[in-house]
Amino acid sequence: MFWRRLTALLLAMSVFFCASPVLADWTHPMSFSNAEFTGHDFSGQNLQAAEFSNANMELTNFRGADLRGAVLSASVMTKSNLHKADLTNAMVDQVNLTGADLSDAVLKEALLLRAIFNDVDITGADFTDATLDGAQMKELCQKASGVNSKTNVETRGSVGCR
């Protein structure tokens, strides 16, 4: 009986001590739903999988931020700076990006349906496999130019311009 308990205790301790570093690295995604971030500075920050649903982020600085997998649904991002931001796999649907700087941003596999792209700078942006509707593609092709410095992908080709 003693050996069984000792073996069980040692097994439990090994599982606890081996698993705890993995558990310590896991964190819940940041949630900023319905938040007011007008003019806030998130430049260079790690915001992977952060949620900014229904947030006001007018004039917000996301320059060089890591927004991979972030949710920005139904938010206002007019005149925001997303220069060199990584929005790979981000959900940017129903977002007002009027006047935003998306130059050199990475938007690979991003969901961009019903996003508003009036007067945006997309020079060097990478839209590879992003979900866009026909009207958005037509609008973006009128201003698409450059090559992304991180992925070396031509903007016009990534949008699907002819």
Side-chain angles (χ1 to χ4, degrees), residues 108-130:
K108 292 171 60 174
E109 299 178 4
L111 178 63
L112 301 163
L113 293 176
R114 295 193 295 180
I116 300 169
F117 293 105
N118 297 333
D119 301 318
V120 295
D121 181 0
I122 61 165
T123 306
D126 182 354
F127 289 89
T128 301
D129 297 324

Side-chain angles (χ1 to χ4, degrees), residues 69-120:
V71 177
L72 307 164
S73 295
S75 294
V76 176
M77 297 184 77
T78 56
K79 299 180 184 174
S80 288
N81 182 358
L82 291 150
H83 177 75
K84 289 196 173 198
D86 190 344
L87 292 132
T88 300
N89 294 314
M91 184 177 288
V92 191
D93 61 314
Q94 303 176 58
V95 174
N96 185 348
L97 291 160
T98 299
D101 180 359
L102 289 167
S103 61
D104 221 22
V106 178
L107 297 118
K108 292 171 60 174
E109 299 178 4
L111 178 63
L112 301 163
L113 293 176
R114 295 193 295 180
I116 300 169
F117 293 105
N118 297 333
D119 301 318
V120 295

Side-chain angles (χ1 to χ4, degrees), residues 2 9-10 12 17-18 24 29 34 46 55 59-60 62 70 73 93 103 123 133-134 146 149 151-153 155-156:
F2 170 76
L9 176 64
L10 291 174
F17 288 115
C18 292
N34 303 304
N46 180 354
L59 298 166
T60 299
F62 287 101
S73 295
D93 61 314
S103 61
T123 306
D133 65 33
S149 66
T151 64
N152 292 318
V153 171
T155 301
R156 289 189 61 78

Side-chain angles (χ1 to χ4, degrees), residues 14-27:
S14 67
V15 169
F16 176 75
F17 288 115
C18 292
S20 63
V22 173
L23 294 174
D25 288 343
W26 188 84
T27 58

